[in-house]
Amino acid sequence: MRVRVAGDSMLPALRSGDWLWVRRGAAVRPGDLVVARLPSDPAVLIVKRAVWEADGGWWLESDNQRAPGRRDSWDFGALPPSSIVGRVVLRYWPTFWRAR
């Protein structure tokens, strides 16, 4: 699937306006960039870094903790695996970049 980044919460790795290829249902490892459903509004997707597995779920964090309006596990705790949509494979626009 394709996802467009909005906001500054993932600076410097990702910028607002970047386009990502995401592999749905892919295995997640610590350090991976993932797309997840926001717990308070499952229709909203967020791009975050998977930091560690905790309590049967994933602890997700923004790379830029000072970004205004950022939402991550500091706000909602660890997310269950069912909330993880997929793992970011690469950024294809505006510049090419491959995730691990």
Side-chain angles (χ1 to χ4, degrees):
M1 71 183 276
R2 298 179 319 144
V3 174
R4 183 177 180 273
V5 176
D8 296 331
S9 70
M10 292 307 294
L11 284 173
L14 301 174
R15 298 181 183 280
S16 190
D18 286 351
W19 281 91
L20 312 172
W21 281 110
V22 177
R23 180 172 291 157
R24 287 180 178 267
V28 176
R29 299 179 311 239
D32 285 346
L33 294 176
V34 299
V35 172
R37 297 196 181 282
L38 187 63
S40 60
D41 185 356
V44 175
L45 298 178
I46 56 176
V47 179
K48 299 296 166 197
R49 190 166 306 278
V51 181
W52 67 78
E53 285 187 86
D55 302 325
W58 278 97
W59 185 269
L60 305 180
E61 288 188 11
S62 302
D63 283 357
N64 179 8
Q65 288 291 308
R66 294 186 176 173
R70 68 147 183 80
R71 294 178 266 181
D72 55 24
S73 287
W74 293 106
D75 303 313
F76 47 72
L79 286 183
S82 61
S83 293
I84 306 294
V85 174
R87 179 173 43 90
V88 174
V89 178
L90 62 88
R91 175 180 60 205
Y92 68 92
W93 186 262
T95 57
F96 181 78
W97 166 83
R98 184 174 299 280
R100 307 194 281 149

